[in-house]
Amino acid sequence: LAFNGKDSLVSDSYYKEGDSYTENETLVKNARAYDVSSEVTFSDDGVELTLKGEFAVEPHSLQLQLIHPTLEDRDLVIFMQRIGPSQYAGVMEDTLNDKRHIWLASLEQQWRIKTTDFVRPGKVVVINTP
């Protein structure tokens, strides 16, 4: 396997990732300050979510990452647009039916919440503030 492709489990930039630990902690602290949680519903061709939190202004868009546990090339990033109060929707080009690390972030407000769960059509995943 190592001869045929890059090992995505091993990083070439240990220092850079160690440096980003502080940034990641800031995202978690901000999520706690906003008391963020979400219910994410997957369908065959899309994702909808309900966002809860103590926001002065709700984010205009969110970033949903569906990270494969071992294969980096199977990771998906879905941009979620606000379609109504506390409601967001995004398009998923692939139908998934496997376990993923699920990260939901607001780039505007600098917060992130995450969980690990199975992703498949009809599944509702709850993500809470750590």
Side-chain angles (χ1 to χ4, degrees):
L1 179 67
F3 289 113
N4 293 329
K6 180 182 172 195
D7 184 359
S8 63
L9 296 177
V10 178
S11 174
D12 294 330
S13 58
Y14 300 107
Y15 176 76
K16 186 189 291 184
E17 289 179 10
D19 235 8
S20 69
Y21 176 77
T22 304
E23 177 184 321
N24 293 340
E25 282 300 304
T26 301
L27 297 175
V28 171
K29 285 180 186 175
N30 290 345
R32 285 186 191 123
Y34 288 118
D35 193 25
V36 181
S37 65
S38 180
E39 288 186 3
V40 184
T41 305
F42 295 94
S43 66
D44 286 325
D45 58 355
V47 183
E48 293 184 5
L49 69 83
T50 302
L51 183 68
K52 297 176 186 170
E54 298 175 13
F55 306 107
V57 177
E58 290 182 345
H60 295 342
S61 61
L62 300 170
Q63 182 183 64
L64 182 68
Q65 291 180 272
L66 305 175
I67 302 165
H68 191 277
T70 58
L71 303 172
E72 183 178 14
D73 62 335
R74 302 237 359 246
D75 293 353
L76 294 176
V77 177
I78 301 167
F79 293 97
M80 309 290 293
Q81 293 294 330
R82 188 167 179 254
I83 58 172
S86 303
Q87 299 295 314
Y88 296 79
V91 177
M92 226 169 56
E93 295 176 10
D94 297 327
T95 300
L96 301 178
N97 193 12
D98 55 5
K99 193 171 190 175
R100 297 290 176 120
H101 302 293
I102 304 166
W103 293 8
L104 179 64
S106 168
L107 303 178
E108 296 170 53
Q109 297 176 338
Q110 298 294 303
W111 56 258
R112 180 177 68 208
I113 56 177
K114 58 186 179 176
T115 192
T116 301
D117 206 335
F118 283 91
V119 174
R120 61 180 165 261
K123 173 82 175 182
V124 177
V125 175
V126 177
I127 311 173
N128 291 309
T129 303

